[in-house]
Amino acid sequence: MPNLLEVKDLHAAYGATGVLHGIDLELREGSVTALLGANGAGKTTTLRALCQMMVSTRGSIQLDGKRADGRATEDIVRLGVAHVPDGRGTFLGLSTEENLRLGAYLRKDKAGVSEDFERVYGYFPRLKERRHQQAGTLSGGEQQMLAIGRALMSRPRLLLLDEPSFGLAPLIVRDIFDIMRRINTEEKVSILLVEQNASLALDIADSVYLLETGRIVLNGTPQDVRDNDAVRRVYLGE
Ligand code: ATP
């Protein structure tokens, strides 16, 4: 499979504070690629840099061979990228359905959008039951489902997921990861997954990058990570 995403020498900074110091990253079309690292390593910043959101960046980002660096966030959505940010980005005062509709705000194909509501409700039946409910009254797990559902409404080729397990009970996390895997295999949506829970991420990923203070220090398969004693001790607590 060709690369959907190719990042070369990406730097990112908040004002004068540099956070990413030249990272290279490739994501194969159809894969789940995990980006692991300790608190503050720059994982969230990497996802923001790919969407050209909140950080200034330097370096090259190609999406399916098209240049994405230096473009507006809206153009990146048009190129097929959907970002599920940390904190989920849900509009708590709007209903579930209104939040989902926002995910489709750039689309003009009404029939396709209606189909996609059903598609999202197929993956997340709980969202259908709660479609008229205010998003702020949903449980944490339901809000994470809504954030993923909203991202799917833009028909992305690449989903950027920031800590989908954060603050959720293990059973809910398992459900959400199972659905992410289905979305990946059934819809051929590629996923770049940022996770603190390394063991969960290794279970689902095809390829793994390890980030330390803004630099990639390891890239390989989940097995490569499990075979690396130092990495296993630090990230898997074994
Ligand atoms: P975590 O899991 O703790 O979110 P992370 O690997 O996702 O870690 P980032 O959130 O990307 O790390 O943060 C990397 C560095 O950038 C940290 O030192 C953080 O304090 C800093 N940082 C993050 N967001 C901002 C911001 N909006 N303004 C200034 N500095 C920021």
Side-chain angles (χ1 to χ4, degrees), residues 14-15 17-20 37-46 48 54-55 86 162-163 194 196 211:
Y14 297 99
T17 311
V19 172
L20 299 182
N39 279 338
K43 305 180 298 296
T44 292
T45 303
T46 303
R48 288 178 184 159
M54 292 168 71
V55 281
D86 58 339
D162 200 343
E163 301 253 11
V194 159
Q196 277 281 329
L211 192 63

Side-chain angles (χ1 to χ4, degrees), residues 9-12 17-23 41 211-216:
D9 197 28
L10 181 65
H11 295 249
T17 311
V19 172
L20 299 182
H21 308 288
I23 69 170
L211 192 63
E212 271 180 21
T213 53
R215 290 186 171 83
I216 299 290

Side-chain angles (χ1 to χ4, degrees), residues 23-232:
I23 69 170
D24 293 342
L25 192 146
E26 292 178 351
L27 182 145
R28 262 183 310 106
E29 172 110 62
S31 74
V32 177
T33 298
L35 181 61
L36 306 181
N39 279 338
K43 305 180 298 296
T44 292
T45 303
T46 303
L47 299 192
R48 288 178 184 159
L50 294 175
C51 303
Q52 306 280 291
M53 250 180 67
M54 292 168 71
V55 281
S56 57
T57 64
R58 174 160 64 82
S60 141
I61 304 170
Q62 299 250 332
L63 267 160
D64 198 19
K66 297 186 189 73
R67 191 170 167 193
D69 51 270
R71 301 183 74 160
T73 303
E74 198 174 280
D75 293 336
I76 311 240
V77 177
R78 286 205 176 90
L79 285 175
V81 178
H83 183 201
V84 181
D86 58 339
R88 298 169 189 146
T90 301
F91 292 88
L92 299 177
L94 299 183
S95 70
T96 298
E97 196 145 300
E98 287 164 337
N99 269 282
L100 290 177
R101 197 170 293 287
L102 282 177
Y105 80 106
L106 286 175
R107 294 176 57 182
K108 305 271 181 279
D109 56 323
K110 277 196 176 156
V113 171
S114 304
E115 258 173 45
D116 283 345
F117 269 109
E118 291 314 313
R119 185 170 134 254
V120 167
Y121 289 147
Y123 284 115
F124 301 110
R126 296 260 284 277
L127 294 183
K128 186 164 193 176
E129 288 164 25
R130 289 165 176 44
R131 64 189 183 279
H132 301 306
Q133 206 167 308
Q134 246 193 0
T137 65
L138 301 180
S139 70
E142 288 162 356
Q143 287 192 23
Q144 186 60 60
M145 293 173 192
L146 178 55
I148 297 172
R150 195 185 62 231
L152 287 179
M153 291 300 292
S154 68
R155 286 244 167 173
R157 295 177 68 188
L158 173 61
L159 260 183
L160 309 177
L161 290 171
D162 200 343
E163 301 253 11
S165 74
F166 186 78
L168 303 181
L171 273 179
I172 306 282
V173 170
R174 186 48 66 195
D175 273 0
I176 289 178
F177 271 63
D178 285 348
I179 292 167
M180 273 158 37
R181 189 34 115 179
R182 278 182 54 208
I183 291 167
N184 169 252
T185 49
E186 292 170 14
E187 315 256 339
K188 313 276 179 267
V189 176
S190 308
I191 296 179
L192 179 57
L193 170 69
V194 159
E195 250 306 330
Q196 277 281 329
N197 185 332
S199 131
L200 260 180
L202 293 182
D203 281 351
I204 191 177
D206 304 300
S207 170
V208 184
Y209 285 84
L210 187 62
L211 192 63
E212 271 180 21
T213 53
R215 290 186 171 83
I216 299 290
V217 293
L218 185 97
N219 166 223
T221 63
Q223 196 57 46
D224 295 332
V225 175
R226 290 196 178 95
D227 288 345
N228 183 314
D229 284 342
V231 172
R232 215 174 49 231

